[in-house]
Amino acid sequence: GESVGLHLPTLSVQEGDNSIINCAYSNSASDYFIWYKQESGKGPQFIIDIRSNMDKRQGQRVTVLLNKTVKHLSLQIAATQPGDSAVYFCAEAPYGTYKYIFGTGTRLKVLA
Amino acid sequence: DSGVTQTPKHLITATGQRVTLRCSPRSGDLSVYWYQQSLDQGLQFLIQYYNGEERAKGNILERFSAQQFPDLHSELNLSSLELGDSALYFCASSVVVTGGTEAFFGQGTRLTVV
């Protein structure tokens, strides 16, 4: 399959444990944030988004936390499964634009 | 399947050549975005079109150009190719113009310049 990046930080978690992937964003004008999952050989896939007027948003097994004070975003995956193994990207965008700025990505490895 | 179609999936070409990458957005989506993903730079926004007009520009080289046609499909033209242009090129589409919404990505075109 495709290799997204050879120098990505890697997070290894045991199957069934919770995963926390962190992201620092750069633009204080960004007010919309998204997490994407990219599996080998595939395009990025939307997971969850959050606006800057929120601190937390929950989806199915995923939670995104936003700390605007320190410009930090995190993605929590509950009960991590082998199918969660992928590269996860955060993206930020200023309001009204779609010039998503992607982070470098974190590779999540789920250990059986 | 995101509904965004990109062709070709793989492309191998020589330095100095010109190639065209094609993207068909999801049905009804008016916006198309192009991204470049290389090993050392992650996903880089190149350009956005909305309903045939250029809407936003990112780090797109002058050797690269894009357009969106009346049927909303888009093409990314890469010319005078260099080895460093080897990368995955993704197209994405979305329907909302203002505010935030998810962008749906195609499977990408893997360009290898030799």
Side-chain angles (χ1 to χ4, degrees), chain B:
Chain B
D1 183 7
S2 68
V4 178
T5 305
Q6 287 186 251
T7 56
K9 276 192 140 179
H10 301 276
L11 197 50
I12 302 175
T13 190
T15 54
Q17 295 298 306
R18 172 191 167 95
V19 296
T20 297
L21 313 184
R22 183 188 168 100
C23 170
S24 294
R26 293 188 319 155
S27 177
D29 286 358
L30 301 178
S31 279
V32 168
Y33 317 79
W34 286 97
Y35 288 84
Q36 179 192 57
Q37 185 176 42
S38 53
L39 285 178
D40 59 350
Q41 291 193 8
L43 275 156
Q44 298 287 326
F45 170 74
L46 295 178
I47 198 163
Q48 178 204 355
Y49 277 82
Y50 174 77
N51 203 20
E53 293 188 2
E54 183 184 302
R55 180 59 63 95
K57 227 171 185 178
N59 300 322
I60 187 166
L61 300 173
E62 284 192 13
R63 299 183 285 110
F64 296 179
S65 65
Q67 54 184 331
Q68 186 179 27
F69 296 87
D71 67 352
L72 300 177
H73 91 269
S74 178
E75 292 181 353
L76 180 67
N77 301 298
L78 314 176
S79 61
S80 303
L81 285 167
E82 302 174 0
L83 295 177
D85 297 327
S86 295
L88 272 165
Y89 290 84
F90 286 104
C91 166
S93 77
S94 68
V95 64
V96 178
V97 178
T98 57
T101 192
E102 62 179 285
F104 294 87
F105 283 80
Q107 299 268 28
T109 294
R110 164 68 77 182
L111 174 66
T112 303
V113 182
V114 297

Side-chain angles (χ1 to χ4, degrees), chain A residues 25-33 52 66 68 91-95 101:
Chain A
Y25 64 92
S26 55
N27 189 348
S28 54
S30 294
D31 80 330
Y32 180 62
F33 306 89
S52 60
L66 175 62
K68 296 180 285 294
E92 58 176 303
Y95 176 78
I101 302 168

Side-chain angles (χ1 to χ4, degrees), chain A residues 12 25 27 36 39 46 49 62 64-65 77 87 90 92 98 100 102-103:
Chain A
S12 297
Y25 64 92
N27 189 348
Y36 281 92
E39 296 173 276
F46 174 92
D49 61 355
V62 294
V64 55
L65 298 177
I77 304 173
V87 176
C90 67
E92 58 176 303
Y98 291 90
Y100 298 130
F102 283 83

Side-chain angles (χ1 to χ4, degrees), chain A residues 8-9 11 13 24 27 32 39 48 52 54 59 62 67-68 80:
Chain A
L8 295 173
L11 174 67
V13 297
N27 189 348
Y32 180 62
E39 296 173 276
I48 192 168
S52 60
M54 301 172 70
V62 294
N67 185 331
K68 296 180 285 294
T80 312

